[in-house]
């Protein structure tokens, strides 16, 4: 069995991905559940996992739930909610010590599957709905998380720029939902939406550790029996959005430092053969401390407290984030736009190319050190339908020259300028 290769299969409504390896002392288990981002369901889908972690049929009290994890030699359990392209993804994770390192009567892998299967499919139900106190408490948890975004102005500006740019697309929605929807969600309506979410979600279960695909399939049949939905596929159809004119949005809040964010559209996505050129483009533009934005906007012109860029390959958009003095708005926009033009003109030095390749090489070569990083990388394949190992991606990155980055730059079109500024005195 070669190392670092996932074996793929399907059991019922679950796609299964197993990497048998003795490289780690733990089992890494990850379950992804994805549904299309939708205004009607986004908030209840986000709230459900918070309630699921409070109690199950066997461990109805939150203290029992936590004690059970302690009994599994301090197994780690957690979840994340995020968006990838136009999908809202809930990811459950478990990290359990390998059976060979402990004296346990029953397999810890089996007990972890039993626990995760129960969290997902056998929550605590009272009178045909979730426990009211759990729903009430977790509603406040989600509300506070959404409110904390408003208080963190850097995050807030980044979210608002996306909201404005994608105002007619599902991608505008925050993966944690909308504060205005929380009060409408009752224990009964949440239980109903949880059931339809479980029926409709695209489910991918990953296991990395000292096991086999056959063993995992048996454990799935035993502990995820309720999951009957057809194992669907993520739709990877992508329609590039063409930009007719740049939109400028200014918002005033009580801030001492202006936040200038720009949104760009590109036709290059994760499944595109030019993906390596796009990540090189982002790296040279603003992904790292040696990038054009950092050097020219922050260091040379002293116009920004921070200046960086990001690229979302599942959605085909790039974003630029910077913090500036409000009176420097015009200068900052000019100098940022100049960096975009420099990229399109192919004014890229050998040093910028080699430093960016070194940074990407470091990131990609660290993936095999972490089971969850390998899982996360492979999940990109499920989302995009594109086969490309980290080694293959690295090989493509190493081949890229200034002309390739210039060609990628020509696909990035400025779409939205969002400026968060202070209220007038």
């Amino acid at each position: 069995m070669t190392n670092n290769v996932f074996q793929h299969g399907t059991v019922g409504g679950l796609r299964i991905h197993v990497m048998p390896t003795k490289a780690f002392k733990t089992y890494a288990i990850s379950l992804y559940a994805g549904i299309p981002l939708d205004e009607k369901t986004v908030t209840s889908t986000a709230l459900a996992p918070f309630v699921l972690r409070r109690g199950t049929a066997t461990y109805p009290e939150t203290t029992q739930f936590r004690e059970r994890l302690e009994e599994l030699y301090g197994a780690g359990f957690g979840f994340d909610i995020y968006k990838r392209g136009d999908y809202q993804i809930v990811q459950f994770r478990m990290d359990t010590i390998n059976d060979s390192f402990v004296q346990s009567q029953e397999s810890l892998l089996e007990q972890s599957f039993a626990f995760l299967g129960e969290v997902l499919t056998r929550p605590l139900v009272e009178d045909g709905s979730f426990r009211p106190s759990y729903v009430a408490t977790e509603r406040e948890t989600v509300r506070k998380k959404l409110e904390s975004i408003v208080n963190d102005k850097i995050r807030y500006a980044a979210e608002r720029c996306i909201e404005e740019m994608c105002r007619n697309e599902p991608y505008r929605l925050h993966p944690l939902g909308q504060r205005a929807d929380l009060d409408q969600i009752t224990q009964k309506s949440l239980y109903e939406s949880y059931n339809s979410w479980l029926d409709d979600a695209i489910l991918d279960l990953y296991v990395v550790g000292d096991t086999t695909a056959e063993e995992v399939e048996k454990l799935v049949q035993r502990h995820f029996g309720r999951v009957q939905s057809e194992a669907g596929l993520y739709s990877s159809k992508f329609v590039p959005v063409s930009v007719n004119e740049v939109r400028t949005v200014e918002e005033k809040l009580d801030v001492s430092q202006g936040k200038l964010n720009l949104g760009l559209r590109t036709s290059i996505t994760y499944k595109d053969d030019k993906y390596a050129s796009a990540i090189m483009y982002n790296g040279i533009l603003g992904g790292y401390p040696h990038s054009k934005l950092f050097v020219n906007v922050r260091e040379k012109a002293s116009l920004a407290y921070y200046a960086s860029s990001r690229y979302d390959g599942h959605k085909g958009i790039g974003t630029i984030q910077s913090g500036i003095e409000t009176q420097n708005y015009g200068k900052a926009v000019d100098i940022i736009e100049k960096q975009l033009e420099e990229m399109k003109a192919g004014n890229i030095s050998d040093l910028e190319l080699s430093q960016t390749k070194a940074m990407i090489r470091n990131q990609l070569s660290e993936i095999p050190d972490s089971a969850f990083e390998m899982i996360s990388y492979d999940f990109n394949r499920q989302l995009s339908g594109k086969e490309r190992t980290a080694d293959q991606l690295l090989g493509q990155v190493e081949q890229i020259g200034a002309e390739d980055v210039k060609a990628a730059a020509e696909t990035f079109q400025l779409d939205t300028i969002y400026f968060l500024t202070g209220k007038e005195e």
Side-chain angles (χ1 to χ4, degrees):
M1 172 66 213
T2 53
N3 260 356
N4 298 359
V5 175
F6 282 100
Q7 301 172 351
H8 307 282
T10 308
V11 174
L14 262 177
R15 286 188 300 199
I16 298 173
H17 318 278
V18 183
M19 183 188 290
T21 173
K22 293 184 172 13
F24 302 102
K25 292 185 172 170
T26 57
Y27 298 110
I29 306 167
S30 209
L31 179 95
Y32 293 91
I35 60 167
L37 276 164
D38 184 324
E39 198 148 12
K40 296 187 193 73
T41 57
V42 64
T43 312
S44 51
T45 298
L47 179 55
F50 287 92
V51 175
L52 296 180
R53 65 154 186 202
R54 291 300 303 273
T56 67
T58 312
Y59 314 104
E61 304 303 325
T62 307
T63 47
Q64 297 171 308
F65 185 91
R66 291 189 182 138
E67 279 162 6
R68 179 61 188 144
L69 287 167
E70 284 306 312
E71 287 164 12
L72 297 176
Y73 294 88
F77 170 82
F79 65 89
D80 278 314
I81 305 163
Y82 44 84
K83 58 185 174 188
R84 288 286 180 274
D86 289 329
Y87 284 92
Q88 181 183 21
I89 313 274
V90 179
Q91 177 195 8
F92 294 95
R93 292 183 317 277
M94 278 195 81
D95 204 8
T96 314
I97 198 157
N98 187 325
D99 289 322
S100 57
F101 293 100
V102 290
Q103 305 287 303
S104 177
Q105 296 298 308
E106 272 181 276
S107 145
L108 280 176
L109 182 63
E110 164 122 28
Q111 293 181 71
S112 301
F113 263 76
F115 184 82
L116 186 58
E118 173 148 339
V119 170
L120 187 71
T121 66
R122 295 183 60 228
L124 172 65
V125 180
E126 297 176 336
D127 300 327
S129 64
F130 285 127
R131 181 176 281 183
S133 61
Y134 288 172
V135 174
T137 313
E138 298 308 322
R139 252 200 320 249
E140 290 314 302
T141 305
V142 174
R143 194 192 314 276
K144 286 198 179 91
K145 282 183 183 293
L146 287 167
E147 280 167 1
S148 73
I149 297 168
V150 183
N151 299 330
D152 176 349
K153 293 300 184 279
I154 294 177
R155 266 178 80 200
Y156 175 76
E159 291 290 343
R160 287 286 296 118
C161 181
I162 295 282
E163 260 176 37
E164 290 293 341
M165 177 158 88
C166 302
R167 61 197 180 284
N168 302 318
E169 300 161 67
Y171 194 76
R172 73 182 185 284
L173 297 165
H174 191 280
L176 280 177
Q178 309 183 93
R179 278 187 296 172
D181 297 345
L182 283 166
D183 291 330
Q184 273 86 61
I185 297 175
T186 65
Q187 60 266 23
K188 194 160 184 57
S189 74
L190 184 62
Y191 183 59
E192 284 164 7
S193 67
Y194 148 79
N195 278 306
S196 41
W197 167 72
L198 197 55
D199 289 342
D200 298 341
I202 301 169
L203 298 169
D204 286 278
L205 180 74
Y206 280 87
V207 183
V208 173
D210 191 4
T211 180
T212 62
E214 296 72 35
E215 181 182 18
V216 169
E217 282 177 16
K218 284 183 188 135
L219 293 174
V220 167
Q221 283 162 345
R222 215 170 293 156
H223 300 292
F224 287 84
R226 154 149 189 214
V227 176
Q228 294 305 330
S229 68
E230 290 302 303
L233 291 171
Y234 287 96
S235 158
S236 53
K237 67 176 187 291
F238 171 71
V239 183
V241 177
S242 54
V243 182
N244 299 322
E245 60 173 329
V246 179
R247 245 177 112 237
T248 302
V249 178
E250 186 177 291
E251 185 173 352
K252 292 189 169 154
L253 282 178
D254 193 8
V255 290
S256 52
Q257 183 197 83
K259 307 282 181 269
L260 173 61
N261 287 54
L262 287 75
L264 304 109
R265 302 268 188 183
T266 172
S267 55
I268 303 174
T269 59
Y270 187 86
K271 67 174 185 181
D272 201 299
D273 291 335
K274 298 195 185 83
Y275 176 69
S277 304
I279 58 174
M280 280 292 290
Y281 167 85
N282 178 63
I284 293 168
L285 176 65
Y288 304 109
H290 67 264
S291 305
K292 285 189 186 296
L293 289 173
F294 194 87
V295 171
N296 292 293
V297 185
R298 186 167 182 266
E299 293 190 341
K300 286 188 185 163
S302 301
L303 279 176
Y305 300 100
Y306 62 90
S308 65
S309 69
R310 290 194 193 113
Y311 164 58
D312 179 343
H314 290 294
K315 180 63 183 165
I317 59 177
T319 51
I320 293 171
Q321 303 79 35
S322 66
I324 60 171
E325 292 295 339
T326 47
Q327 69 269 21
N328 290 335
Y329 169 80
K331 278 191 222 161
V333 171
D334 288 347
I335 200 162
I336 289 172
E337 287 185 331
K338 183 167 190 296
Q339 306 317 308
L340 296 174
E341 291 310 315
E342 291 281 304
M343 299 289 289
K344 284 182 180 169
N347 292 334
I348 294 152
S349 70
D350 290 346
L351 184 62
E352 285 173 322
L353 282 168
S354 63
Q355 285 182 314
T356 303
K357 285 179 185 180
M359 300 300 270
I360 294 172
R361 192 183 306 127
N362 286 346
Q363 286 172 314
L364 290 172
S365 58
E366 284 169 5
I367 290 173
D369 300 341
S370 157
F372 285 109
E373 286 294 325
M374 289 194 287
I375 287 170
S376 171
Y377 186 88
D378 190 83
F379 183 58
N380 287 328
R381 193 174 69 87
Q382 307 305 325
L383 280 168
S384 63
K386 174 74 177 178
E387 274 288 355
R388 187 200 291 118
T389 66
D391 285 343
Q392 286 167 333
L393 179 56
L394 181 55
Q396 290 167 4
V397 166
E398 300 287 12
Q399 298 303 311
I400 282 171
E403 280 303 308
D404 304 302
V405 179
K406 178 180 187 286
E410 283 161 3
T411 73
F412 279 84
Q413 302 297 321
L414 181 58
D415 179 301
T416 300
I417 298 174
Y418 169 86
F419 186 45
L420 177 63
T421 178
K423 294 180 174 164
E424 305 303 324
E425 288 302 318

